[in-house]
């Protein structure tokens, strides 16, 4: 069940360097999402943010599986809500400190959105496997986690999505940066936004930026999240139309 | 900037609650708010709080609306918590506003009081059996909860047996408890499921589809081979036919019929009936 949506995108300059300032909300990469592809987990989803082939960028793709509400060890159980666990496995090598910190971010985002009070003393586990990484990885993980939670039927109070912004040395804002752009950027900001009122759930930033630039990036991310939520809706409608 | 303004307008439109009636049988996403029929008038934009004068007196008293799976009450609106199609059932006898629920596809079972389920006995501790029903905790089943069981006359239940029973206690705060008798003390089909046969797992939506009244799939399957079949609302089906091969064929058909259209199913049945 592939749901792919072409966003309105301005084509980047052929030379591979960043083009001039562009309006917010229009330079997200092409997405694809597939649900219910694994047979063992209660819910699963794979989220892919396609790269620009003609510029030889690869795809960022994450596979997510959700187990829950399931049994929990007595040492980890919480008496009044579900215990949410996130496990992130990198593509190569053993998980390290960077993965632990991303797991924590994703877990805090999911906890804000999942109605854990409906399933006390249970555990909901989200397992994320990085299939390929070409920039904007955390945002892709957040999107995959959200789709997998929806697929598993875990009760949520809203949907959420991740959007990455990068600021380069000129102050140009780029949405969904590639790995090269992230490395050369002055600042990289990732936001998780909820679907009800586009409010900010999580923000993690790296680098040097001013207050005004933060607001500008946030506004651009909120506008871009429209496209992601519209894509979620189309993808889920397609899934339910087959039954 | 025009683009930003257009996008802002769309986002405003996105968070306005929609009338539940307008969204029936459509896919709803978590986070959407739905208005019940009585509240629609108040939402008319630009109407400075005016309401049309109602000449029919009885219109407002719709009574209680039941909020089913996938929906939660949030103030005076319904909040959608699961993704699926919104359904509504009219009340049978006048009073009440009917039931709204979300038909979602799920694999994981959450115990609900009154559901009939198939469980596997995992432990015997003292006077109770621990039964795995596929939820987050094993359910407990007392040895006295069988037809004709007394303290002297214990039921013959071993670890690993299949049990068909119903929940008497199933809420988020307590350990689920099940029994194999109904309220009159009769077994009514419940109890230990016999020898042989095959137990397999399907999604919860398929079970509901198969247990709906006038299910074509069941009638066609019944015409194929003589069989015994038990459906558990926790997604488990136990099937037994005369030979192992027939049992396996039936199990495969039931697992596959979730993804097949009616025509494909008829083709397969006709091919099997010939052979």
């Amino acid at each position: 069940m592939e749901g792919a949506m072409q966003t309105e995108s301005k084509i980047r300059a052929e030379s591979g360097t960043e083009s001039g300032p562009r309006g917010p909300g229009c330079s997200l990469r092409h997405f694809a999402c597939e649900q219910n592809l694994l047979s063992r987990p209660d819910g699963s989803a794979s989220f892919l943010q396609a790269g620009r082939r003609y510029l030889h960028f690869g795809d960022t793709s994450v596979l997510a599986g959700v187990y829950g509400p399931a049994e929990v060890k007595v040492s980890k159980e919480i008496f009044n809500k579900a215990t949410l666990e996130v496990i992130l496995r990198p593509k190569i090598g053993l998980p390290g400190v960077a993965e632990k910190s991303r797991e924590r971010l994703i877990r805090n985002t999911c906890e804000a959105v999942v109605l854990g009070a409906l399933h006390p003393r249970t555990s909901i586990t989200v397992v994320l496997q990085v299939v390929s990484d070409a920039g904007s990885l955390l945002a892709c993980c957040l999107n995959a986690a959200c789709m997998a939670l929806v697929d598993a039927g875990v009760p949520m109070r809203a949907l959420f999505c991740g959007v990455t912004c990068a600021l380069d040395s000129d102050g140009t804002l780029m949405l969904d940066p590639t790995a090269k752009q992230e490395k050369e950027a002055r600042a990289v900001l990732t936001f998780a936004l909820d679907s009800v009122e586009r409010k900010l759930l999580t923000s993690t930033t790296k680098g040097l930026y001013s207050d005004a630039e933060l607001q500008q990036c946030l506004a651009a991310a909120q506008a871009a999240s429209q496209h992601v939520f519209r894509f979620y809706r189309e993808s889920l409608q397609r899934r339910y139309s087959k039954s | 900037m025009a683009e930003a303004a257009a996008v802002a307008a769309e986002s405003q439109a996105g968070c306005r609650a929609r009338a539940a009636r307008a969204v029936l049988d459509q896919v709803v996403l978590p986070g959407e708010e739905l208005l019940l029929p009585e509240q629609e008038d108040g939402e008319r934009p630009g109407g400075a709080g005016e309401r049309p004068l109602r000449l029919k007196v009885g219109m407002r008293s719709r009574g209680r609306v039941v909020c089913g799976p996938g929906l939660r009450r949030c103030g005076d609106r319904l909040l959608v918590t699961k993704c699926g199609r919104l359904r509504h059932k009219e009340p049978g006898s006048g009073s009440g506003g009917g039931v709204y629920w979300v038909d979602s596809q799920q694999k994981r079972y959450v115990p609900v009081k009154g559901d009939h389920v198939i469980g596997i006995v995992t432990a015997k501790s003292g006077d109770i059996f621990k039964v795995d029903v596929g939820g987050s905790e094993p359910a407990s089943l007392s040895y006295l909860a069988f037809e004709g069981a007394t303290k002297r006359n214990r039921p013959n239940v071993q670890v690993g047996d299949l049990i068909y029973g119903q929940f008497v206690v199933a809420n988020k705060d307590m350990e689920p408890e099940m029994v194999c008798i109904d309220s009159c003390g009769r077994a009514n089909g419940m109890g230990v499921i016999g020898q042989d046969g095959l137990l397999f797992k399907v999604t919860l939506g398929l079970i509901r589809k198969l247990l709906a009244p006038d299910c074509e799939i069941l009638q066609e399957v019944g015409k194929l081979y003589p069989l015994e079949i038990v459906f558990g609302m926790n997604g488990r089906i136990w099937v037994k036919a005369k030979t192992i091969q027939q049992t396996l064929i039936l199990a495969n058909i039931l697992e596959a019929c979730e993804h097949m259209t009616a025509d494909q199913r008829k083709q397969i049945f006709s091919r099997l009936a010939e052979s």
Side-chain angles (χ1 to χ4, degrees):
Chain A
M1 273 158 272
E2 176 115 337
M5 194 193 86
Q6 197 71 42
T7 64
E8 316 93 62
S9 52
K10 295 206 179 129
I11 297 178
R12 297 187 198 211
E14 279 293 329
S15 58
T17 57
E18 295 79 27
S19 50
R22 96 196 80 202
C26 57
S27 39
L28 289 179
R29 299 193 248 176
H30 181 116
F31 321 117
C33 166
E34 202 179 329
Q35 288 196 309
N36 204 16
L37 59 162
L38 299 173
S39 59
R40 285 212 158 234
D42 302 323
S44 54
S46 126
F47 203 86
L48 187 135
Q49 286 172 206
R52 311 279 164 132
R53 300 255 182 254
Y54 56 84
L55 290 176
H56 305 296
F57 293 143
D59 307 335
T60 304
S61 168
V62 175
L63 181 60
V66 169
Y67 298 84
E71 272 193 34
V72 65
K73 272 196 259 194
V74 183
S75 58
K76 287 193 199 166
E77 76 176 6
I78 305 178
F79 74 96
N80 61 343
K81 57 182 183 148
T83 310
L84 202 87
E85 251 180 30
V86 175
I87 300 173
L88 174 62
R89 295 256 177 261
K91 182 176 167 199
I92 39 177
L94 290 173
V97 178
E99 278 72 40
K100 266 279 174 294
S101 111
R102 288 200 186 112
E103 283 174 11
R104 191 147 178 260
L105 285 168
I106 299 170
R107 195 184 75 229
N108 288 341
T109 313
C110 293
E111 273 181 358
V113 153
V114 163
L115 288 168
L118 293 181
H119 299 288
R121 300 179 334 276
T122 64
S123 84
I124 299 176
T125 310
V126 181
V127 182
L128 297 157
Q129 171 67 56
V130 177
V131 174
S132 58
D133 181 7
S136 312
L137 181 65
L138 185 58
C140 195
C141 291
L142 285 165
N143 294 336
C146 179
M147 285 271 97
L149 284 168
V150 164
D151 187 44
V154 173
M156 305 207 282
R157 59 171 62 88
L159 298 176
F160 61 92
C161 80
V163 183
T164 319
C165 290
L167 286 167
D168 72 349
S169 39
D170 305 333
T172 322
L173 200 157
M174 283 169 295
L175 285 176
D176 244 0
T178 60
K180 180 160 171 280
Q181 287 171 333
E182 273 185 359
K183 221 177 352 170
E184 294 168 359
R186 154 165 66 92
V188 178
L189 304 93
T190 305
F191 300 110
L193 301 159
D194 91 337
S195 66
V196 177
E197 284 171 26
R198 317 276 177 269
K199 284 193 176 163
L200 189 63
L201 287 172
T202 302
S203 103
T204 172
T205 65
K206 186 177 77 158
L208 207 60
Y209 53 91
S210 72
D211 194 24
E213 283 171 338
L214 172 65
Q215 296 301 326
Q216 194 191 2
C217 287
L218 188 51
Q222 283 177 326
S225 66
Q226 296 274 41
H227 298 291
V228 187
F229 290 129
R230 206 186 313 149
F231 170 68
Y232 281 179
R233 179 177 285 276
E234 285 176 7
S235 184
L236 289 166
Q237 277 176 344
R238 199 169 312 191
R239 177 163 180 227
Y240 280 90
S241 72
K242 293 202 173 181
S243 56
Chain B
M1 290 321 277
E3 202 182 64
V7 153
E10 195 192 276
S11 75
Q12 286 299 318
C15 33
R16 201 176 55 208
R18 299 191 278 174
R21 260 198 327 230
V23 200
L24 273 188
D25 288 339
Q26 289 177 32
V27 175
V28 288
L29 299 182
E32 288 186 11
E33 287 195 344
L34 302 172
L35 295 169
L36 295 172
E38 297 123 5
Q39 291 136 10
E40 281 163 44
D41 292 326
E43 292 298 317
R44 212 176 289 153
E50 292 161 5
R51 290 198 178 186
L53 196 60
R54 287 197 176 278
L55 296 175
K56 278 196 201 167
V57 176
M59 280 285 286
R60 284 198 66 86
S61 53
R62 284 291 189 97
R64 239 168 29 139
V65 166
V66 179
C67 189
L71 295 170
R72 285 194 68 76
R73 213 165 63 97
C74 142
D76 54 355
R77 300 177 176 185
L78 296 179
L79 174 71
V80 179
T81 57
K82 291 193 192 180
C83 175
R85 287 193 184 273
L86 185 69
R87 305 275 190 216
H88 175 60
K89 182 172 156 201
E90 289 294 334
S93 46
S95 75
V99 191
Y100 285 94
W101 76 95
V102 176
D103 235 347
S104 63
Q105 294 171 353
Q106 255 183 272
K107 289 191 203 169
R108 192 89 198 179
Y109 178 66
V110 172
V112 169
K113 184 174 165 178
D115 263 2
H116 291 257
V117 294
I118 300 180
I120 305 173
V121 179
T122 52
K124 251 206 261 196
S125 63
D127 290 339
I128 55 170
F129 304 112
K130 286 281 180 223
V131 179
D132 163 46
V133 289
S136 59
E137 282 186 282
S140 74
L141 170 64
S142 161
Y143 75 97
L144 290 171
F146 289 85
E147 183 174 12
T150 60
K151 288 196 184 153
R152 299 254 184 97
N153 177 19
R154 290 173 176 246
N156 182 15
V157 175
Q158 307 304 324
V159 171
D161 279 355
L162 293 177
I163 300 270
Y164 182 62
Q166 64 176 341
F167 285 114
V168 287
V169 171
N171 54 50
K172 62 183 169 87
D173 299 309
M174 295 168 63
E175 182 195 36
E177 290 175 28
M178 58 188 285
V179 292
C180 291
I181 48 174
D182 61 10
S183 45
C184 306
R186 286 191 294 253
N188 210 7
M190 295 187 273
V192 180
I193 296 178
Q195 295 294 316
D196 304 330
L198 177 68
L199 178 78
F200 58 97
K201 197 156 179 343
V202 293
T203 59
L204 307 187
L206 178 64
I207 296 275
R208 290 197 298 262
K209 193 160 81 160
L210 292 170
L211 284 177
D214 305 325
C215 177
E216 296 176 336
I217 308 174
L218 266 191
Q219 290 166 357
E220 290 170 17
V221 164
K223 285 187 213 143
L224 257 189
Y225 309 120
L227 79 161
E228 280 178 63
I229 193 164
V230 179
F231 295 104
M233 295 296 290
N234 53 346
R236 294 181 180 167
I237 303 181
W238 178 85
V239 134
K240 180 174 165 184
K242 284 212 186 109
T243 67
I244 296 180
Q245 196 188 25
Q246 289 180 358
T247 310
L248 288 171
I249 292 174
L250 288 167
N252 284 330
I253 293 178
L254 288 169
E255 274 175 343
C257 68
E258 183 169 19
H259 305 291
M260 288 197 287
T261 61
D263 297 323
Q264 288 167 327
R265 217 175 48 227
K266 288 196 180 24
Q267 274 178 12
I268 297 199
F269 277 119
S270 51
R271 244 194 295 151
L272 281 170
E274 286 162 25
S275 61

